[in-house]
Amino acid sequence: MKLVRPDDRGRFGDYGGRFAPETLMPALDELERAFEKAWSDPAFVQRYHDLLTSYVGRPTPQHVAGRLSEQLGLTVILKREDLAHTGAHKINNAMGQGLLVGEMGKRRLIAETGAGQHGVATATAAAYFGLECAIYMGEKDIERQRLNVYRMRLLGAEVIPVTSGAGTLKDATNEAMREWVRSVEYTHYTIGSVVGPHPFPWIVREFQKVIGEESIVQLGGTLPDVVVACVGGGSNAAGMFYPYLDLDVELVGVEAGGLGIETGKHGASIGAGSPGVLHGSRTYMLQDADGQVIEAHSVSAGLDYPGVGPEHSYFADQGMARYESVTDAEALDAVDLLARTEGIIPAIESAHAIAWVARERASLAGKTVLVNLSGRGDKDVEQIAQIRGLL
């Protein structure tokens, strides 16, 4: 059953909730009240959609990928979130939360980022709304996403390296949470995916559902057989899937298979994880027998996360969507495939969705498959060249 919003405990079925320090509870209550008031106010919603049109560049295009379709033997439609301002769907949520912060009277945004796209989007929103901004980023991700680090600094944000743990998105999230506890009176934590304590998963999904709503209108009364999106935390997939939940369409989320599920080096939280509590909510996550978090692995910084949004966990258990995985190698091959057939260099995150379609071409033959191309790959070009020994 499609849930318009989480229940009174902030849960989607058995998942979600609010597992947070006592210090943050008043801020989470304040945020929930502010969002409920704003999202039920037609004037606020209109300002949000006006921003999406005039500043973000929505509606993003949606078109048939002709040469890719011919090569795979099916019809592939691409939803081009890579063409939104800043180059990824992340800007939809960042501008929404930036607008909300104006209603709450806070002066500073902080955020975590892996691939850097959410950091760039948050820095952009902060510049637009005249707010201070600090972005927490793991040192490993800083190294593999140097272009986005420079973009954030160019936009006026302070980029704070996180050296703990594996130096990836999980560790950046931990540190951003700690900073929020220290400065909650004047700081808003702009969580970038459908993760974290209630009400964040709900808020981010609401700001991202424009993707699916727009896509349905652009299809003009026809429906695809399958809708596919990559899943790390899962914000682009939640935004695409949610409006399709009541329709006769198969939904497939593609997780990071890394070096292969059997190696233990992956980011497939639903496919190879189990329910636990991570970053403030109960959800599928990678953990050992003692409940300790297992480090994720993915060639994609944006999918290198050991958990998934709680609403995806609910979708999976209810059979409303299914979740598959592809390996790093398959995703890198898919970057080449889309670049050479369509002249589009996708983010490695988005290439996971393309890779699954390419691998499943036989079972998908003759079908129409809609892929959410969540971001562009400029940020990944240097990393890919290094992996291939070209730099």
Side-chain angles (χ1 to χ4, degrees), residues 277-346:
V277 174
L278 178 67
H279 293 146
S281 67
R282 185 173 188 272
T283 190
Y284 276 97
M285 59 179 285
L286 304 180
Q287 58 185 324
D288 63 22
D290 297 321
Q292 298 300 308
V293 178
I294 296 174
E295 299 289 353
H297 164 81
S298 174
V299 69
S300 163
L303 304 184
D304 199 349
Y305 184 69
V308 67
E311 195 166 17
H312 284 294
S313 299
Y314 174 75
F315 292 166
D317 277 10
Q318 296 295 315
M320 299 164 74
R322 67 184 172 105
Y323 295 83
E324 305 286 347
S325 64
V326 301
T327 64
D328 290 348
E330 289 175 305
L332 292 172
D333 287 346
V335 171
D336 293 348
L337 176 65
L338 195 64
R340 294 171 186 177
T341 56
E342 296 296 328
I344 299 169
I345 301 174

Side-chain angles (χ1 to χ4, degrees), residues 237-283:
M240 177 58 105
F241 289 176
Y242 186 75
Y244 278 95
L245 286 172
D246 292 333
L247 305 175
D248 185 21
V249 174
E250 184 179 10
L251 305 177
V252 178
V254 184
E255 298 188 299
L259 302 182
I261 300 298
E262 70 285 356
T263 69
K265 301 288 186 182
H266 59 80
S269 302
I270 294 178
S274 57
V277 174
L278 178 67
H279 293 146
S281 67
R282 185 173 188 272
T283 190

Side-chain angles (χ1 to χ4, degrees), residues 39-52:
W39 210 228
S40 62
D41 178 359
F44 178 91
V45 174
Q46 187 61 52
R47 286 201 301 276
Y48 172 63
H49 285 285
D50 286 347
L51 274 174
L52 295 184

Side-chain angles (χ1 to χ4, degrees), residues 89 193 208 211 228-232 234-241 372-374:
H89 70 290
S193 194
Q208 292 291 5
I211 303 171
V228 186
C230 64
V231 176
S235 65
N236 93 90
M240 177 58 105
F241 289 176
N372 191 34
L373 207 63
S374 58

Side-chain angles (χ1 to χ4, degrees), residues 76-389:
V76 180
I77 300 174
L78 300 176
K79 178 59 173 166
R80 300 291 305 278
E81 290 302 292
D82 59 315
L83 294 181
H85 180 43
T86 71
H89 70 290
K90 295 291 188 182
I91 191 68
N92 304 322
N93 170 56
M95 294 304 290
Q97 291 202 45
L99 191 63
L100 186 61
V101 166
E103 302 286 313
M104 298 167 64
K106 298 195 176 184
R107 67 173 190 270
R108 180 171 180 256
L109 299 181
I110 61 170
E112 84 299 328
T113 194
Q117 291 300 103
H118 175 56
V120 170
T122 302
T124 300
Y128 182 89
F129 291 109
L131 301 167
E132 301 170 29
C133 185
I135 306 295
Y136 289 82
M137 192 170 186
E139 61 177 356
K140 178 180 176 182
D141 292 337
I142 286 177
E143 179 59 29
R144 57 182 172 178
Q145 297 293 339
R146 288 185 292 186
L147 176 61
N148 271 343
V149 172
Y150 180 69
R151 292 171 74 194
M152 287 180 254
R153 289 173 172 154
L154 198 61
L155 290 160
E158 179 186 9
V159 179
I160 301 174
V162 176
T163 58
S164 58
T168 59
L169 181 57
K170 170 182 69 69
D171 311 297
T173 304
N174 287 339
E175 196 52 45
M177 281 278 190
R178 292 189 190 100
E179 166 57 19
W180 196 30
V181 171
R182 291 191 290 264
S183 61
V184 67
E185 291 180 2
Y186 56 90
T187 297
H188 172 72
Y189 181 12
T190 314
I191 287 185
S193 194
V194 285
V195 301
H198 175 70
F200 281 109
W202 174 43
I203 290 175
V204 178
R205 179 252 279 170
E206 287 296 290
F207 284 141
Q208 292 291 5
K209 72 181 182 182
V210 64
I211 303 171
E213 290 173 342
E214 203 173 86
S215 167
I216 291 170
V217 172
Q218 290 170 320
L219 286 165
T222 62
L223 288 175
D225 298 295
V226 186
V227 174
V228 186
C230 64
V231 176
S235 65
N236 93 90
M240 177 58 105
F241 289 176
Y242 186 75
Y244 278 95
L245 286 172
D246 292 333
L247 305 175
D248 185 21
V249 174
E250 184 179 10
L251 305 177
V252 178
V254 184
E255 298 188 299
L259 302 182
I261 300 298
E262 70 285 356
T263 69
K265 301 288 186 182
H266 59 80
S269 302
I270 294 178
S274 57
V277 174
L278 178 67
H279 293 146
S281 67
R282 185 173 188 272
T283 190
Y284 276 97
M285 59 179 285
L286 304 180
Q287 58 185 324
D288 63 22
D290 297 321
Q292 298 300 308
V293 178
I294 296 174
E295 299 289 353
H297 164 81
S298 174
V299 69
S300 163
L303 304 184
D304 199 349
Y305 184 69
V308 67
E311 195 166 17
H312 284 294
S313 299
Y314 174 75
F315 292 166
D317 277 10
Q318 296 295 315
M320 299 164 74
R322 67 184 172 105
Y323 295 83
E324 305 286 347
S325 64
V326 301
T327 64
D328 290 348
E330 289 175 305
L332 292 172
D333 287 346
V335 171
D336 293 348
L337 176 65
L338 195 64
R340 294 171 186 177
T341 56
E342 296 296 328
I344 299 169
I345 301 174
I348 300 177
E349 290 88 345
S350 312
H352 281 69
I354 297 291
W356 180 81
V357 175
R359 189 179 70 196
E360 298 297 319
R361 69 182 76 179
S363 64
L364 297 172
K367 293 186 176 180
T368 299
V369 180
L370 170 64
V371 177
N372 191 34
L373 207 63
S374 58
R376 71 188 186 208
D378 310 38
K379 65 185 178 59
D380 297 323
V381 169
E382 181 181 349
Q383 182 192 0
I384 294 170
Q386 288 175 340
I387 290 170
R388 291 173 173 162

